[in-house]
Amino acid sequence: MVGSMTNSQGGPSLPQERRLVTAIPGPKSTELLARKQAAVPPGIGTTLPVFVTQAGGGVLVDADGNSLIDFGAGIAVTNVGNAAPRVVERVSRQVADFTHTCFMVTPYESYVAVCEQLNALTPGDHEKRTFLVNSGAEAVENAVKVARHATGRQAVVVFDHGYHGRTLLTMTLTAKNMPYKHGFGPFAPEVYRVPLAYPFRWPSGPENCAAEAAAQAIDAINKQIGAENVAAVVIEPIAGEGGFIEPAKGFMPRIAEFCRENGIVFIADEVQTGFARTGDLFACEDEGIVPDIICTAKGIAGGLPLAAVTGRAEILDKVHVGGLGGTYGGNPLACEAALAVLETIESDGLVERARHIGGIMLPRLRAMAERNEAIGDVRGRGAMIAIELVRPGTTEPDPAAAAAVAKRCHAEGLLVLTAGTYGNVLRFLPPLVIPDHLLEEGLTILEKALATV
Ligand SMILES: *Cc1c(COP(=O)(O)O)cnc(C)c1O
C-alpha cells in the first residue's frame, strides 16, 4: 500500500503529523537495513535506520508508514522543504528538456543565472564571480586552489573544531580525528590550525574569549607560519559539525581585519550556515563580515547536488582558462533547483521564518536548561540551534547522554542529530517550512527524553 504511493503525494502536501504505526525501525526498514549491511560498507553510517519513501514540510515518511518529525533537514540541506513545489516544477521541466551537456563544453543559461544571483546576494557590493561544483568539500577545495593561485602563497590556516569535508585536502582542514581522519593519512601539507573563540569552553570565561582567542590565533600565524606565507584563512561563521559553536562576537571581524592587513584571502565556509538557515541569508551578515571568497552548498538546491565558490573578481579572474571546472559542476537540474530555492526563500520569507523558529526553540530550550543541569549550553541562531550536554554541575562533556537522548527521540519519531568535537552536542536543523505545531511537539519529545538522562 505504502509502496504504491506516488511522489505526487509527497512534498508539502504530506499530512503534517507525527504518526507511529510500528516500532522504529519497523519491519520493512529492518529488512532494508539488512540489505544495506550486505551491500554497503559500514563506513557509511546510519543515524536513524528508517528507510524514507516520502518527505515534505516537517516530516519524513518511512517504508512502514511511520511519519517522523524532521529536525535534520538532511543536514541543513532541505531548508525550503523536501520536494518543495517550485523545485519540483523547475527540475521536472528541465529533466524533460536536457539533463547534461557539461557547462564547459556547451553552456546553458541557468548556470549563469545562479552565478548572477549569488554574486548579487552574498555579502559585499564589490565585483564578484561565481563558479559551480558538486559538493561542499569541492567548493572549499577550489576556494583554496584559487587563493593559492592568486596570492602565490601556500599556507592555509584553519581553526579548532572546524569541519570542511572528506576529500584529502578538506579532511586535512577538518579538526576532528574520529571519524573523519583516523587511518586516512598522510594528510595534505601546509595546513595550520589555530584556536577558535569557543565561549562556553574558554578558560578565562566567555567575556574574554573573543579578544584572547583572536590574539592567540594571530600570534600563532605570525610566529609559526609568517603572515606573508599565508594564502588563506578558512572559517565557518558558525562551526557546524564542531557543535554549532558561534565564535564570540568580535573574533571573526578581528581575523578578517588581520587578513585584510596582510593580503590573506578570507574564505567563509558557509556550506552549512547558508541560505537563510541562521536567520540571515548568510551567517557572515550577522557581524557585517565581507569574505573575499564564500563557499556554499547544502541549502543551495533543495537536495540536488550543487555547490558554489563566490569571490572577488580580481581573485577568481586570475586563474587561467581551463584551470577550474569539472564534468558535472552546475548540472542543469541542480541549477534549476537552485533558482527555485532562491525564489522560494524570497517569496515565502524564509529568512524571517528561520528567525521565527529560533524564537520558538531558544526560549523553550533555555527553560529546559534552567531545570536540567545536564544542559551546559544552549546556542545558535535562527533554525541552527544546539544544546551541549555535560555532567551536571561541570563542563565535562557527556557524549553518552547525547547519544541516549538522540536514541530516545528517534524511538519517539523525532529525528535529531548529534555533533561536536566531544560528541556531546544535540543539534537541531529543521526545514524552514516546518509548521509550528511540529516544532513544539518535537521540543516536547526532546524535553521528555532529556528528563530520562
Ligand atoms: C557539510 C560541510 C562541508 C562538506 O560538504 P559536502 O557537500 O558534504 O562535501 C564543508 N563545510 C561545512 C561547514 C559543512 O557543513
Side-chain angles (χ1 to χ4, degrees):
M1 162 69 199
V2 170
S4 70
M5 281 186 175
T6 65
N7 287 336
S8 62
Q9 290 167 288
S13 62
L14 272 182
Q16 294 299 297
E17 61 179 15
R18 180 176 69 111
R19 185 183 66 243
L20 297 187
V21 297
T22 68
I24 301 291
K28 290 199 174 116
S29 281
T30 303
E31 223 178 283
L32 287 163
L33 190 64
R35 278 174 58 196
K36 181 211 167 212
Q37 280 160 352
V40 181
I44 304 288
T46 304
T47 301
L48 171 50
V50 300
F51 280 70
V52 173
T53 53
Q54 295 175 308
V59 298
L60 302 160
V61 174
D62 75 10
D64 293 285
N66 298 297
S67 177
L68 289 81
I69 300 174
D70 181 11
F71 276 12
I75 318 186
V77 168
T78 53
N79 293 4
V80 298
N82 251 293
R86 290 184 187 86
V87 172
V88 172
E89 196 198 314
R90 272 188 175 266
V91 172
S92 303
R93 239 187 295 139
Q94 181 61 45
V95 76
D97 283 346
F98 68 94
T99 47
H100 175 81
T101 63
C102 187
F103 186 76
M104 303 180 302
V105 178
T106 48
Y108 38 89
E109 182 180 350
S110 57
Y111 184 119
V112 179
V114 172
C115 296
E116 286 169 346
Q117 292 221 35
L118 290 174
N119 291 343
L121 294 169
T122 50
D125 51 16
H126 51 280
E127 191 167 350
K128 293 175 212 151
R129 302 283 187 265
T130 292
F131 63 99
L132 304 177
V133 291
N134 301 295
S135 70
E138 208 186 340
V140 173
E141 183 115 25
N142 272 280
V144 170
K145 233 169 99 166
V146 167
R148 282 178 166 159
H149 193 280
T151 57
R153 305 173 181 178
Q154 295 186 356
V156 181
V157 172
V158 288
F159 294 84
D160 287 337
H161 311 288
Y163 179 87
H164 302 288
R166 293 175 183 270
T167 59
L168 175 58
L169 177 62
T170 58
M171 93 173 146
T172 307
L173 300 178
T174 291
K176 194 175 175 179
N177 174 54
M178 200 62 179
Y180 305 121
K181 304 169 84 163
H182 189 75
F184 298 141
F187 301 106
E190 290 303 317
V191 173
Y192 301 87
R193 192 170 309 284
V194 298
L196 178 75
Y198 186 170
F200 179 64
R201 296 196 172 279
W202 197 254
S204 58
E207 61 287 355
N208 302 313
C209 180
E212 286 182 14
Q216 287 178 17
I218 288 167
D219 192 56
I221 293 170
N222 283 326
K223 296 296 186 304
Q224 297 174 27
I225 318 165
E228 67 278 18
N229 297 316
V230 178
V233 164
V234 185
I235 189 166
E236 301 165 82
I238 298 177
E241 307 295 310
F244 288 14
I245 304 163
E246 261 188 284
K249 300 264 188 251
F251 176 78
M252 276 211 300
R254 177 67 192 109
I255 299 292
E257 177 188 50
F258 175 78
C259 288
R260 219 162 28 244
E261 291 163 357
N262 290 281
I264 298 168
V265 178
F266 183 94
I267 300 174
D269 178 349
E270 290 238 22
V271 168
Q272 191 159 162
T273 49
F275 300 101
R277 175 55 55 187
T278 63
D280 287 300
L281 194 54
F282 298 100
C284 276
E285 293 167 34
D286 182 63
E287 287 189 280
I289 305 269
V290 177
D292 299 311
I293 297 180
I294 175 166
C295 298
T296 54
K298 292 197 167 93
I300 193 174
L304 278 86
L306 187 70
V309 179
T310 302
R312 292 187 184 277
E314 66 268 26
I315 296 176
L316 267 64
D317 283 351
K318 281 223 171 86
V319 178
H320 46 272
V321 174
L324 304 171
T327 306
Y328 292 116
N331 169 274
L333 304 180
C335 287
E336 289 294 333
L339 294 172
V341 163
L342 291 167
E343 202 183 314
T344 302
I345 290 173
E346 168 82 27
S347 318
D348 295 1
L350 294 187
V351 169
E352 294 70 30
R353 181 74 204 154
R355 291 184 184 217
H356 172 81
I357 289 170
I360 290 176
M361 297 192 87
L362 283 170
R364 276 199 66 183
L365 292 168
R366 286 186 183 128
M368 290 180 212
E370 291 283 305
R371 294 191 296 272
N372 191 334
E373 284 211 300
I375 304 174
D377 197 23
V378 176
R379 58 181 181 242
R381 299 202 299 267
M384 185 170 185
I385 305 288
I387 56 176
E388 178 159 357
L389 300 188
V390 293
R391 298 200 172 278
T394 74
T395 57
E396 199 189 321
D398 194 346
V405 172
K407 203 172 159 202
R408 202 147 188 123
C409 290
H410 296 168
E412 291 298 319
L414 170 68
L415 171 64
V416 296
L417 306 171
T418 56
T421 297
Y422 313 103
N424 64 327
V425 173
L426 289 162
R427 57 170 159 168
F428 314 117
L429 294 161
L432 305 180
V433 295
I434 191 172
D436 287 358
H437 75 272
L438 288 182
L439 203 56
E440 298 279 8
E441 190 178 349
L443 288 165
T444 302
I445 292 167
L446 176 72
E447 184 164 18
K448 287 189 185 141
L450 280 162
T452 65
V453 300

